[in-house]
Amino acid sequence: MSIEIKNLKYVYNPGLPGETVALDDVSLTISEGEMVGIIGHTGSGKSTLLQHMNGLLKPDSGHVFVDGECITDDKTDLVDIRRRVGLVFQYPEYQLFEETVVDDVAFGPKNLGIEGEELKKTVREAIEIVGLDYEEIKDSSPFELSGGMKRRVAIAGVIAMRPSVLILDEPTAGLDPTAHRDILSMIRRINEEKEITIILVSHNMGDIAKMCDRVIVMENGKIVLEGRPREIFTQDALLESMGLDVPPALDIMRKISKSIDGFTSSALTLDEAAEDIKEFMKRKK
Ligand SMILES: Nc1ncnc2c1ncn2[C@@H]1O[C@H](COP(=O)(O)OP(=O)(O)OP(=O)(O)O)[C@@H](O)[C@H]1O
Ligand SMILES: [Mg+2]
């Protein structure tokens, strides 16, 4: 499912002392099956933009099209749009509330009228795709689980609505390294196995470089850069001027390139860095 955004403008508290232009003439197209990363300094408008993609916020001007259908129209069935475009907020585990994992994941599909065997199957599939063992976890209280598992249960609740697009706002924030890695492989699995379009907001440039086909950079409510990870992350000076880092692998490889004669690398990920070092060692022999 594609999302097309045209000339969005959104102002918080218009006419009041706290007036903030959060989105300023933002246009963007996301194609079916893509994994797109959105980066930008804090307050640049990322979360505000995400909330327009499933109609949670209504723009002051401009339009959002989901699969060609204009959702900024008053006639649109937003309940259906919110099912098809799943939005996972920051710290989604705070929204868990049922007594068991199964009930929590079933909440959304049940509200859509899914029941019986189909409901069971939907819930089971959603729990499995987020990498949890259904039999082991189904009757547990979500509140007894680790932080990473809680977050995966919360994401399973969105997956259970069978969305075509999944939007994740900083899905790895505050997790330990293992849970962090698990969430990333879960996102990749959802994109590959379920062919769900993914939109990922993160402050972790290494994750964005490793995961995304395309990167969108926001600053002060505008899209200021857009391109493949390599095109974006090799513009160090520009990124720095926006208070953004380059992926740690690139940073290290640049430093090594400067200090070792004959070695150059602009690897974005640790895997690419390892390849470049291997090649260099081979050439030296
Ligand atoms: N509910 C709100 N009321 C008033 N202003 C808001 C509200 N939410 C966001 N803003 C302001 O709108 C601008 C964009 O905020 P937004 O949360 O979209 O940024 P962000 O890029 O997601 O930041 P972060 O990286 O910190 O999550 C900021 O200036 C912010 O202070
Ligand atoms: Mg945000």
Side-chain angles (χ1 to χ4, degrees):
M1 196 158 77
S2 65
I3 295 188
E4 200 179 349
I5 284 169
K6 281 193 179 156
N7 311 107
L8 277 200
K9 180 161 186 180
Y10 187 80
V11 183
Y12 287 104
N13 306 319
L16 297 173
E19 177 173 295
T20 308
V21 180
L23 296 179
D24 186 5
D25 198 19
V26 170
S27 296
L28 166 71
T29 303
I30 292 165
S31 311
E32 186 164 330
E34 258 195 311
M35 171 117 58
V36 176
I38 304 180
I39 60 175
H41 199 264
T42 180
S44 57
K46 305 178 297 295
S47 299
T48 305
L49 175 61
L50 298 185
Q51 291 171 69
H52 280 80
M53 293 183 185
N54 75 346
L56 266 186
L57 290 179
K58 215 172 154 47
D60 293 314
S61 58
H63 294 284
V64 178
F65 297 86
V66 172
D67 251 356
E69 180 187 350
C70 180
I71 70 161
T72 32
D73 251 351
D74 284 336
K75 291 181 288 236
T76 315
D77 175 3
L78 285 178
V79 174
D80 182 51
I81 294 293
R82 285 182 199 144
R83 185 198 69 71
R84 292 195 278 150
V85 183
L87 175 56
V88 177
F89 286 101
Q90 287 180 52
Y91 299 99
E93 58 275 21
Y94 292 149
Q95 287 162 38
L96 296 170
F97 65 98
E98 293 279 2
E99 277 177 25
T100 67
V101 166
V102 163
D103 287 346
D104 223 303
V105 176
F107 180 81
K110 243 180 172 168
N111 272 347
L112 294 175
I114 298 173
E115 49 189 25
E117 277 310 304
E118 201 198 341
L119 180 64
K120 242 185 183 167
K121 185 168 164 266
T122 304
V123 169
R124 187 186 189 109
E125 264 181 28
I127 291 176
E128 286 174 353
I129 194 88
V130 298
L132 296 172
D133 184 325
Y134 176 79
E135 290 302 334
E136 205 174 279
I137 207 173
K138 66 181 182 12
D139 299 320
S140 309
S141 159
F143 305 102
E144 289 164 1
L145 305 174
S146 70
M149 285 167 108
K150 269 188 205 156
R151 192 163 300 177
R152 281 192 276 167
V153 169
I155 295 172
V158 177
I159 297 285
M161 309 277 277
R162 299 189 171 156
S164 312
V165 177
L166 184 65
I167 302 173
L168 299 135
D169 199 350
E170 298 189 45
T172 58
L175 295 179
D176 66 52
T178 310
H180 184 133
R181 212 172 40 231
D182 288 346
I183 293 275
L184 292 189
S185 35
M186 174 205 82
I187 294 170
R188 198 172 274 138
R189 201 162 49 236
I190 292 169
N191 180 240
E192 285 170 4
E193 287 178 21
K194 297 223 150 221
E195 296 177 353
I196 294 178
T197 307
I198 304 274
I199 300 161
L200 177 67
V201 165
S202 177
H203 285 282
N204 186 316
M205 301 303 151
D207 291 351
I208 294 280
K210 194 161 61 184
M211 302 275 292
C212 298
D213 308 311
R214 192 152 61 99
V215 184
I216 285 153
V217 187
M218 294 192 68
E219 191 185 31
N220 292 329
K222 288 182 184 292
I223 292 179
V224 288
L225 272 181
E226 190 181 335
R228 300 191 71 78
R230 178 158 304 282
E231 290 160 6
I232 301 299
F233 290 123
T234 44
Q235 306 198 45
D236 311 34
L238 190 56
L239 291 175
E240 200 183 336
S241 74
M242 292 188 266
L244 298 174
D245 295 327
V246 297
L250 178 61
D251 191 35
I252 293 166
M253 287 298 111
R254 287 261 167 82
K255 284 180 183 141
I256 298 179
S257 300
K258 269 187 206 149
S259 58
I260 299 181
D261 248 3
F263 178 75
T264 54
S265 167
S266 54
L268 293 184
T269 64
L270 289 180
D271 287 342
E272 287 173 17
E275 273 309 307
D276 287 352
I277 292 171
K278 244 193 271 170
E279 274 302 309
F280 177 68
M281 298 308 280
K282 244 196 254 165
R283 267 191 281 124
K284 270 195 76 178
K285 271 188 194 159

